[in-house]
Amino acid sequence: MNLINNGKLDFSQLESITKKPKLFTKDKINFWQDPYISEHILYAHLDDESDEGSRKYETIIKSVLWLSEYMDLPKGARLLDLGCGPGLYSEHFHGQGFKVTGIDFSQSSINYAKEEAKASQYDIEYLCQNYLEIDYTNEFDVITLIYGDLCVLSHQERDLLLTKVRKALKPGGYLIFDLFTKQYFKKGHENQSWYLSREEGFWKEDEHLLLHEHFKYKKEKVRLEKYTLIMADGEMQSYHIWKHYFSLKRAKEMLHEHQLILKDFWSDLCGKPYEIESSWIGMIAQKPLSKQ
Ligand SMILES: C[S@@+](CC[C@H](N)C(=O)[O-])C[C@H]1O[C@@H](n2cnc3c(N)ncnc32)[C@H](O)[C@@H]1O
C-alpha cells in the first residue's frame, strides 16, 4: 500500500492504519519470515542480556535441567522442538541425552542452528518448515512449544497444531508448553505510539516511521500489537502480532478438548509453583497410554 496518491498524502489510507483490525487478520508478509526482520529477531534471540527474543541463557539451562529431571526418560528419547528458533533449547536437550529434531520456519534461525550444531558436532536434525504442516504419527517421546507459541496462533491454527502434536506423540509422550496469562499485559493499555528512525533499525535498514498500536479484544481474551512501517516513498506495511492469553481454567479445558492429560503446571518451565498473579503458566501434559 502507498500513502501518496497523485502527489498528495492520502488521509483515508492513513486513517485505515488506526482502525482496529478484525480478529486474527493475517499480514501480507510474515513477520517471522521476512528476511531483514528475521535477522534482527535472530540477534534478539542471541542477546543474553534480554528476554526479548528468547529467555536468558541461564533460564534456558535451568528449564532444560528441571524438565529433563522431571521426565526422567531413557537416553535417546526423541524430542521435537517446535518453533525452535536458533536452537537454544534444542542444544541443551541434546546435551541431556535426547535425540532432537528442531522445526522453525525462520530460515535465518535454522541456518544459525545448523551452523552451531555442525561446529559443536551435535547430532541434531533442524528443519525449516511451518509447524502447522507437520505430519508425524507416534514418533516422539516429548514435544516442546516454548515461549508462548500457542498464544500467537488463531483459535483454528491452535486446534490444528494440537491435533497434529497429539498424533506425533507416542502414547504416554509429553507435551511441554507455556502460555501468557492476563497478568502478562498488566501494563499494556490500548495506546498508540511512534518513532522515527533515520538509520538501520529492527524493522528496516532505510529511514522509516514506525507506528505502534495496542488493541484489546476483551471478549476473546486477545491482544494485538500492530506495527506499521512507513517508508520515505510512502510505501507502508503493517505487521500484526496476536497474543491470546489464558486462564488456568481455559488452559486445562484446552488440553481436555484435545484428549491430553494434564500432568503438572507451574509459574514457569523451571518448576516455580503456580501463583494466581503469575504472568505465565508452564505446563506438561501427556498423551494417554491407551486409546481413550
Ligand atoms: C518466541 S520465538 C521462541 C523461540 C524458541 N522456542 C526459544 O524460546 O528460544 C517463536 C519461534 O517460533 C517460530 N514460529 C512461529 N510460528 C511458526 C510456524 N507456524 N512454524 C514454524 N515456526 C514458527 C518463529 O520463527 C520463532 O523462531
Side-chain angles (χ1 to χ4, degrees), residues 161-210:
L161 182 58
L162 285 173
T163 303
K164 289 185 173 240
V165 159
R166 188 184 189 282
K167 182 166 169 263
L169 281 173
K170 292 179 186 169
Y174 292 111
L175 168 64
I176 292 169
F177 61 99
D178 49 8
L179 303 167
F180 318 129
T181 70
K182 197 174 179 183
Q183 304 303 324
Y184 181 91
F185 300 99
K186 237 180 339 213
K187 294 184 201 118
H189 302 293
E190 281 193 336
N191 65 24
Q192 298 178 324
S193 60
W194 60 272
Y195 69 78
L196 184 65
S197 175
R198 304 300 306 271
E199 53 190 33
E200 179 178 341
F202 178 88
W203 298 93
K204 206 79 188 169
E205 54 201 323
D206 308 317
E207 60 183 353
H208 59 271
L209 177 66
L210 195 277

Side-chain angles (χ1 to χ4, degrees), residues 32 41 45 53-55 60 81-86 88-89 103-106 109 129-132 145-149 152-153:
W32 297 106
I41 295 174
H45 283 304
S54 297
R55 296 196 172 96
I60 293 177
D81 186 7
L82 295 177
C84 63
L88 306 178
Y89 286 88
I103 292 186
D104 202 290
F105 65 7
S106 160
S109 284
Q129 192 191 340
N130 185 338
Y131 55 48
L132 297 174
L145 266 163
I146 301 183
Y147 220 15
D149 272 58
V152 299
L153 301 174

